[in-house]
Amino acid sequence: MDNESRSLQDLIENNRAWSDKISEQDPEFFPTLAKQQAPDYLWIGCSDSRVPANEIVGLLPGELFVHRNVANMVVHTDMNLLSVLQFAVEVLKVKHVIVVGHYGCGGVKAAMENKKLGLIDNWLLEIRDLYHQKQAMFKGLESEEERVNLLCELNVVRQVYNLCHTNIVQEAWARGQKLAVHGWVYGLDDGKINNLNVTVNDNSQINDVYRLDIKE
């Protein structure tokens, strides 16, 4: 058996051990989980393997609906993200959508540089635009780490409002559905979440130009 096959087999064996342990602790866990999912939260986070959504917030499978992509972006032409958002809001009836970035994000750092990376250059273009729009905020920050981390925070705030500009979120508010959109940043070095205190509960909190005239 080659190293790759051995590594994959290790994952399968880990799964068996995990499944057996959970079933031993709670014999009804998997049968109950298989019947339905009823999460209150949609997590939109970065694909970084060091940011395991459920573990960070101490939730079990079935309690957190998750979408991840490079640099936790909300791109209005991303049908994957929009499909996840629509299902979470309209079918699962989540009460909270949380954009979760992380400090030291490689995607954010790449957006600050002028290196040619390939296809991802297009994906990161909005972050690059944001960096140049907010240049005044970066004056006085001497270290690259400080600049990257500030842009990580600014990017999360931008994506929170990108979510609020979608017809999916605004239609939910028009229906009277309780839905709040939040922005957090996770620290890789200490495992702690920084709540950026940006929460949007209805369209009165967004700019007039983005409000849709939705009649329910």
Side-chain angles (χ1 to χ4, degrees):
M1 183 180 296
D2 59 30
N3 289 335
E4 182 178 356
S5 298
R6 188 180 302 115
S7 176
L8 292 176
Q9 186 59 37
D10 286 345
L11 296 183
I12 293 173
E13 290 173 2
N14 289 345
N15 166 257
R16 298 291 187 270
W18 172 78
S19 174
D20 291 344
K21 180 180 179 181
I22 295 292
S23 296
E24 182 179 344
Q25 294 172 344
D26 182 1
E28 294 302 313
F29 179 81
F30 288 112
T32 301
L33 188 64
K35 292 177 183 176
Q36 65 175 357
Q37 62 169 334
D40 286 331
Y41 313 96
L42 167 60
W43 170 293
I44 298 176
C46 183
S47 298
D48 194 298
S49 61
R50 300 166 294 176
V51 190
N54 283 71
E55 292 181 38
I56 287 172
V57 289
L59 294 180
L60 295 171
E63 295 181 328
L64 187 70
F65 201 55
V66 177
H67 175 82
R68 298 171 70 171
N69 61 49
V70 174
N72 42 272
M73 297 289 289
V74 177
V75 178
H76 292 131
T77 54
D78 180 1
M79 301 309 293
N80 188 343
L81 177 280
L82 294 175
S83 297
V84 169
L85 179 64
Q86 182 173 28
F87 186 78
V89 171
E90 297 182 7
V91 179
L92 298 177
K93 306 292 185 184
V94 298
K95 297 179 177 65
H96 304 273
V97 181
I98 314 166
V99 180
V100 186
H102 67 93
Y103 292 116
C105 179
V108 170
K109 181 179 178 181
M112 298 174 71
E113 300 170 345
N114 290 323
K115 297 177 182 176
K116 181 179 180 298
L117 300 174
L119 184 62
I120 197 171
D121 291 326
N122 302 286
W123 181 255
L124 299 175
L125 187 58
E126 183 180 356
I127 306 178
R128 182 168 291 139
D129 290 342
L130 179 63
Y131 178 52
H132 290 289
Q133 290 165 11
K134 303 292 185 179
Q135 274 297 297
M137 299 181 68
F138 292 85
K139 291 181 179 178
L141 298 182
E142 297 181 359
S143 73
E144 181 184 59
E145 180 180 6
E146 288 179 301
R147 293 192 295 273
V148 170
N149 288 345
L150 174 57
L151 189 54
C152 288
E153 294 179 350
L154 294 174
N155 180 49
V156 166
V157 174
R158 173 63 59 88
Q159 305 317 317
V160 165
Y161 284 98
N162 280 353
L163 274 169
C164 297
H165 298 161
T166 65
N167 66 316
I168 297 166
V169 169
Q170 293 197 39
E171 285 173 0
W173 287 332
R175 291 192 298 270
Q177 185 174 337
K178 289 186 177 180
L179 182 66
V181 185
H182 314 269
W184 295 352
V185 184
Y186 174 72
L188 295 172
D189 58 350
D190 63 5
K192 302 289 179 62
I193 287 171
N194 179 18
N195 182 355
L196 298 180
N197 294 313
V198 51
T199 293
V200 185
N201 297 287
D202 58 61
N203 70 359
S204 69
Q205 296 173 260
I206 62 177
N207 192 295
D208 290 352
V209 73
Y210 295 109
R211 292 183 199 167
L212 301 178
D213 185 15
I214 299 172
K215 304 254 188 331
E216 286 292 324

